[in-house]
Amino acid sequence: KPVSTIIKADADGAVLLPAELCRAAGVEPGADLMAEVEAGRIVLGLAAPGLAERIVARARALPPGALDGLPDDLWPHSTITSSTASETAGVTGLLPTVFADTFYWLALARPRDSWHASVTLGADERLDPPVTTDEVLGEFLNALAGTGPVGRAYAVAIVHDVRDDPMVDVLPPNPQTRADFDSALALYEARRDKGYGLTDCRSMAAPRALSVSEVSTNDHHFNQEGFTILFPLREQTPGGR
């Protein structure tokens, strides 16, 4: 039968649900819950798995060897960018503080990737909303293009997961604006002595526009652009890329 009780929030807004109320709802006390506001009501439900957890689960469900034709470090030079603040909130309504580049999605999606364990652990520990770009997702798809029907379907499913997740900002939310392209093109033009591709320049311009200054990466090129690198290089390839 229906069970109801009065619950008081403390001065900080925190609430404690009685154990019997949780059990009546089929929820174990201590479980993670998701709170949503609907028509003036606070609705509680079991927390859904996070995006990183869902990607890893997809990877584990692949047939054995589905991605084994690819090298362990498929994307050895790319970025996960971090910041403590940004100037604007994205579609999530929260401040995006992590820029997830191609390296991040590939490391999550490929259990054999040498960065998989570190990136998965980092994703589990972070609660802040990530931001990425359409160009990054395009590079992710291109990197898995040669994996056959199973691998290609897997790559597409992950991109849909990323774009459909309400906690992820994919920039721009509409097709790329001319200003976005021009900012990347200006950096490309200004760095004639570098090896940055246009998408690399976009991945540098996007976090800079969000006041992101710290970069968790294994790409030394971001040092050259004034970012602080947080993800240590395992080895430096002479000449870079």
Side-chain angles (χ1 to χ4, degrees), residues 28 53 72 82-83 87 105 131 160 166 194 206 211 231 238 241:
E28 283 299 316
E53 187 178 348
D72 289 347
S82 306
S83 173
E87 295 177 349
W105 303 117
V131 60
H160 284 308
K194 305 300 182 184
S211 300
F231 214 104
R241 68 177 168 106

Side-chain angles (χ1 to χ4, degrees), residues 101-159:
D101 204 35
T102 315
F103 163 84
Y104 177 78
W105 303 117
L106 285 172
L108 275 181
R110 301 185 63 249
R112 279 189 55 199
D113 193 291
S114 59
W115 294 101
H116 178 77
S118 297
V119 168
T120 301
L121 178 62
D124 289 341
E125 292 176 347
R126 299 198 71 113
L127 298 177
D128 34 8
V131 60
T132 192
T133 67
D134 285 335
E135 297 93 329
V136 162
L137 297 180
E139 285 193 328
F140 173 82
L141 291 168
N142 289 343
L144 297 182
T147 55
V150 173
R152 290 172 69 95
Y154 170 64
V156 169
I158 289 178
V159 168

Side-chain angles (χ1 to χ4, degrees), residues 14 21 38 48 68 73 77 98 113-114 153 155 170 190 196 205-206 214 230 239:
L21 187 65
E38 296 180 1
D68 286 354
D73 282 315
H77 300 291
V98 180
D113 193 291
S114 59
V170 179
Y196 315 158
E214 295 182 329
L230 302 180

Side-chain angles (χ1 to χ4, degrees), residues 93-225:
L94 301 173
L95 293 178
T97 58
V98 180
F99 183 83
D101 204 35
T102 315
F103 163 84
Y104 177 78
W105 303 117
L106 285 172
L108 275 181
R110 301 185 63 249
R112 279 189 55 199
D113 193 291
S114 59
W115 294 101
H116 178 77
S118 297
V119 168
T120 301
L121 178 62
D124 289 341
E125 292 176 347
R126 299 198 71 113
L127 298 177
D128 34 8
V131 60
T132 192
T133 67
D134 285 335
E135 297 93 329
V136 162
L137 297 180
E139 285 193 328
F140 173 82
L141 291 168
N142 289 343
L144 297 182
T147 55
V150 173
R152 290 172 69 95
Y154 170 64
V156 169
I158 289 178
V159 168
H160 284 308
D161 283 345
V162 173
R163 298 183 72 181
D164 293 342
D165 194 297
M167 291 301 293
V168 180
D169 280 334
V170 179
L171 300 177
N174 299 311
Q176 184 186 46
T177 66
R178 178 59 57 87
D180 295 327
F181 183 88
D182 287 348
S183 64
L185 181 61
L187 180 59
Y188 185 99
E189 182 179 16
R191 301 297 186 264
R192 298 181 183 182
D193 60 330
K194 305 300 182 184
Y196 315 158
L198 186 65
T199 300
D200 296 319
C201 292
R202 171 73 173 129
S203 291
M204 293 172 181
R208 183 171 286 155
L210 295 174
S211 300
V212 172
S213 60
E214 295 182 329
V215 184
S216 293
T217 184
N218 56 0
D219 187 350
H220 68 285
H221 288 148
F222 280 77
N223 267 338
Q224 300 171 12
E225 290 301 316

